[in-house]
């Protein structure tokens, strides 16, 4: 572009006007007695036009011009941002999103604590923009959820960045149970999590421990009990039993507790008939053992089969004799039909125990 006037005015400078400008002055000199001479001189300056940053292109590699890009989990994604600016821009790429759980981390939602101690319930969220501390809201839930705030001697709430802590002081039994935290940052839905505070300590002893009377046999019996409160930690039941006379011979059994079971039945086998047994039971967890409870019972007397194997033999013999009698009777009746019989028959019946013998004497005339 070239101007010929002494003054050039650009009414609206654009970034395209940025560049080097040169002003050149030229004149003609005609000295007396000499040839005409041309004179010129130049001045140069740079017009530096500054303007706001302009993002000319922003895309994921290999997806230029695509607004929605889908990538598989664990694959790579490279974002490229093309910027036009003067002076040079500082470029930041961020992901805006509603609060959510940090991916790849184990979120602790169950906490345990002993009575009269302190418990710190902590929750960390992933969100951008970072929520304001007032956007972390703690509640205590029973039949309904009530808002919690700093209360001297009872609750302390401290929130820094993406983490918030609720500390419960001097815990008593009413403090155990359900709490909730909700987090929002103005984008999308708020995140709400349920957090449980459970007591920690040795389990309470089992109750209603006894032997089911109808289950007692010669060699087995069924024990039953109701589990006590485990105080926030998984518990195991320890059962031991032996005869009252031979206490040195004790059998021990460990039984894991399924928290869904309201009562437990356990069968013990290979007992001795007509013996009195002593049984002990206690529960344990990572904090210690419960008090031991006990019970006694007596197995049934062994019943002897009075019939014995000889009874079967005798029974078989009687059956055989009766069968033989039927056959003989049939033969005699058959002979009497076809022959004239002058018979002398003597029935002699003798009994020895369960054995009956029949002796037939007869003469048959042809």
């Amino acid at each position: 572009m070239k101007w010929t006037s002494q003054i050039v005015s650009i009414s609206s400078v654009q970034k395209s006007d940025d560049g080097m400008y040169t002003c050149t002055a030229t004149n003609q000199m005609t000295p007396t007695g000499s040839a005409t001479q041309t004179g010129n001189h130049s001045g140069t300056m740079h017009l530096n036009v500054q303007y706001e940053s302009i993002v000319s292109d922003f895309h994921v590699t290999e997806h230029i011009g695509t607004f929605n890009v889908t990538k598989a989990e664990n694959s790579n994604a490279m974002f490229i941002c093309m910027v036009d600016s003067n002076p040079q821009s500082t470029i930041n790429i961020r992901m805006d999103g509603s609060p959510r759980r940090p991916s790849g981390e184990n979120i602790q939602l169950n906490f345990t604590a002993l009575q009269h101690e302190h418990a710190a319930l902590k929750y960390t969220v992933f969100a951008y923009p970072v929520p304001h501390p007032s956007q972390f809201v703690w509640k205590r839930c029973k039949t309904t959820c009530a808002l919690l705030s700093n209360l001297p001697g009872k609750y302390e709430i401290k929130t820094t960045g993406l983490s918030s802590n609720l500390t419960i002081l001097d815990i008593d039994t009413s403090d155990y149970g359900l709490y909730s935290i909700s987090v929002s940052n103005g984008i999308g839905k708020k995140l709400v999590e349920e957090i449980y505070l459970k007591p920690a300590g040795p389990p309470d002893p089992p109750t209603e421990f006894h032997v089911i009377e109808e289950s007692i046999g010669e060699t087995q019996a069924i024990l039953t009990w109701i589990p006590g409160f485990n105080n926030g930690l998984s518990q195991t039941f320890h059962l031991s039993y032996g005869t009252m006379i031979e206490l040195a011979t004790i059998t021990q059994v460990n039984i894991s507790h399924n928290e869904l079971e309201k009562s437990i039945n356990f069968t013990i086998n290979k007992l001795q008939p007509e013996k009195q047994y002593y049984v002990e039971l206690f529960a344990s967890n990572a904090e210690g053992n419960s008090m031991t409870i006990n019970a006694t019972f007596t197995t049934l007397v062994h019943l002897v089969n009075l019939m014995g194997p000889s009874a079967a033999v005798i029974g078989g013999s009687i059956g055989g004799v009766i069968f033989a009698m039927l056959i003989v009777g049939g033969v005699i009746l058959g002979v009497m039909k076809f022959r004239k019989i002058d018979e002398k028959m003597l029935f002699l019946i003798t009994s020895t125990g369960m054995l009956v013998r029949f002796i037939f004497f007869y003469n048959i005339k042809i």
Side-chain angles (χ1 to χ4, degrees), residues 200-219:
D204 294 342
T207 60
E208 304 295 329
F209 180 52
H210 64 279
V211 180
I212 300 176
E213 290 293 333
E214 298 79 5
S215 73
I216 300 176
E218 299 176 13
T219 61

Side-chain angles (χ1 to χ4, degrees), residues 276-291:
Q276 187 176 22
Y277 278 85
Y278 179 81
V279 190
E280 286 189 344
L281 178 70
F282 70 91
S284 71
N285 64 14
E287 291 292 329
N289 301 336
S290 74
M291 182 180 67

